[in-house]
Amino acid sequence: MAKLHSKLIWLILIILLVFVAYLYWVPSQKVDGRRGGAAVAVSTAKVETKAMIRSISSLGTGIANNSITLTSPTSDFITELNIREGKLVKRDEVIARLHDVEERARVTELQGILVDQKRQLDRLKNLATTQATAQQMLDEQQTKVNTTLAQLDIATAQLAEMTITAPFDGYLGLRQVSQGAYINTGTAITTLDDLAVLRVAFSVAEHYLAEIKVGMPLAVTNAAYGDVRFAGTVSAIDTRLDPLTRTVTVHGTLPNDDLRLRPGMLLNVNLVLEQHVAKQISEKALVPQQQKQFVYKVSADNTVQQVEVTIGQRIPGWVEIIGGLEEGDEVVVEGIQKLRSGVTINRVGG
């Protein structure tokens, strides 16, 4: 009985040894078969040296460089209206006049009074040199002159309010009133926008705040013009962040001589944070292992070797190669899961 148990034990050990040997033999046969048999179909690409542009995208809104609504500073009838909708006007050009007969008459009246008061003041100054009693009269007359001057300043300002002019060069918007109409203080007459330069306001996450500088290049696109890119620069960065979204508002300026961009437009903004020349490969070529990165480099005999690489910055779809590869080296980008060092490959696709 003891001999039977001993034979069974030896039989089980032999079977286990055969099974272990089989487990090691089959994978090596598969690898040997790949090495000496059919090549593995993969896609490859070469290491390229080109500009690496790191940028961020955001949605922005077009804003006129200068923009106001022209309103009436007082209440009266419109006697003159010079609104050519959508047309360019120059600074100080008259947009509208209000009925100003009373204001003009008041200015003329005060100017006449002031002339007479100054004449009497000059006469009293001459008397004051010889008569001590004339000094009091001189002081009283000087007070009258000063009072009239103040009243004239007020009347002149009121007269000026009756004429509405353009405070800067710009394009007039739609007319909101008609000539001859009676309008109240604050009534909107039209809008005026300086469109020669368009500003774009957009938000950027606080993560990028330290990298954004005034003068950095940006580009915008709009659905109305398809893929046409409008170039500009960062002109201002807000001093405060939004405490809810943790974003900072950035303004850019865009030349707009052709007036294709308008205030209120939804603009797709691309802000370039950094641009430099670097060796690059597709992100799909990387094989991460723990804290390291590897690629399968293609040799002259169409076999591959796993090579460790040092990577730098990443942009969507691409990664910078700092070490481990040279420009022109060929690496596998698709079919990596089938590879091991020494396997022969067959290039397919792009």
Side-chain angles (χ1 to χ4, degrees):
M1 193 67 178
K3 288 183 178 181
L4 180 60
H5 287 166
S6 178
K7 288 180 179 180
L8 286 174
I9 291 172
W10 278 106
L11 180 61
I12 292 171
L13 289 174
I14 292 171
I15 292 172
L16 287 173
L17 288 173
V18 171
F19 180 70
V20 171
Y22 174 78
L23 292 178
Y24 278 95
W25 178 76
V26 169
S28 73
Q29 286 294 85
K30 289 183 178 179
V31 172
D32 291 341
R34 284 184 180 174
R35 289 176 180 172
V40 179
V42 298
S43 295
T44 66
K46 291 186 177 181
V47 179
E48 301 179 59
T49 298
K50 58 183 181 180
M52 172 166 273
I53 302 174
R54 193 165 62 89
S55 62
I56 55 177
S57 298
S58 179
L59 289 177
T61 301
I63 306 172
N65 189 41
N66 290 300
S67 179
I68 63 168
T69 298
L70 293 169
T71 60
S72 173
T74 186
S75 301
D76 218 311
F77 290 96
I78 298 176
T79 59
E80 181 181 341
L81 194 61
N82 302 314
I83 297 178
R84 304 182 304 279
E85 297 168 323
K87 300 300 181 180
L88 175 66
V89 294
K90 296 296 184 179
R91 179 178 179 178
D92 295 329
E93 188 171 333
V94 175
I95 305 300
R97 293 186 194 275
L98 302 181
H99 185 71
D100 60 1
V101 173
E102 291 184 7
E103 287 74 16
R104 288 182 180 277
R106 179 60 175 163
V107 169
T108 301
E109 177 187 7
L110 289 172
Q111 287 174 339
I113 293 173
L114 184 61
V115 170
D116 183 62
Q117 288 178 342
K118 285 184 175 181
R119 186 182 303 113
Q120 294 183 35
L121 180 63
D122 292 337
R123 186 181 304 113
L124 289 172
K125 285 181 179 180
N126 293 330
L127 290 175
T129 58
T130 58
Q131 300 180 22
T133 57
Q135 183 62 47
Q136 181 179 356
M137 299 174 60
L138 176 63
D139 294 339
E140 292 176 354
Q141 188 63 30
Q142 183 66 63
T143 301
K144 291 181 180 179
V145 170
N146 293 341
T147 301
T148 303
L149 280 171
Q151 293 174 344
L152 180 59
D153 287 342
I154 294 173
T156 302
Q158 291 174 340
L159 176 61
E161 288 181 349
M162 309 306 283
T163 302
I164 301 166
T165 60
F168 52 82
D169 295 355
Y171 290 83
L172 292 174
L174 299 178
R175 177 169 56 86
Q176 303 297 323
V177 295
S178 299
Q179 184 165 335
Y182 183 88
I183 58 176
N184 295 311
T185 302
T187 299
I189 297 174
T190 186
T191 57
L192 180 65
D193 296 312
D194 175 8
L195 302 179
V197 174
L198 190 84
R199 289 188 296 159
V200 55
F202 58 98
S203 297
V204 175
E206 66 175 329
H207 173 74
Y208 299 104
L209 181 59
E211 300 182 73
I212 303 172
K213 301 290 185 294
V214 172
M216 294 177 69
L218 59 81
V220 305
T221 58
N222 177 263
Y225 302 108
D227 295 330
V228 177
R229 293 170 65 87
F230 300 88
T233 57
V234 173
S235 59
I237 304 169
D238 200 352
T239 56
R240 299 182 179 182
L241 273 72
D242 188 319
L244 298 178
T245 62
R246 303 301 178 189
T247 58
V248 62
T249 300
V250 180
H251 279 193
T253 54
L254 306 159
N256 192 39
D257 294 333
D258 54 9
L259 304 183
R260 286 192 288 178
L261 299 176
R262 299 296 179 93
M265 271 186 168
L266 178 64
L267 302 173
N268 301 300
V269 183
N270 183 263
L271 176 62
V272 177
L273 296 176
E274 183 182 358
Q275 180 174 342
H276 67 279
V277 175
K279 291 181 293 185
Q280 301 175 48
I281 61 171
S282 170
E283 281 187 320
K284 294 186 292 184
L286 295 178
V287 182
Q289 294 182 9
Q290 296 179 346
Q291 301 299 320
K292 298 181 180 180
Q293 297 286 347
F294 296 85
V295 298
Y296 281 105
K297 179 181 176 182
V298 181
S299 303
D301 59 356
N302 290 334
T303 60
V304 295
Q305 296 295 327
Q306 193 176 60
V307 177
E308 183 181 356
V309 295
T310 304
I311 65 173
Q313 296 182 359
R314 291 175 181 256
I315 59 176
W318 297 90
V319 62
E320 179 183 9
I321 297 298
I322 298 176
L325 293 173
E326 298 297 331
E327 182 180 5
D329 286 347
E330 188 177 12
V331 296
V332 177
V333 295
E334 292 184 6
I336 294 174
Q337 64 275 11
K338 309 171 187 176
L339 298 181
R340 294 182 183 178
S341 291
V343 171
T344 301
I345 58 107
N346 177 35
R347 301 171 184 82
V348 297

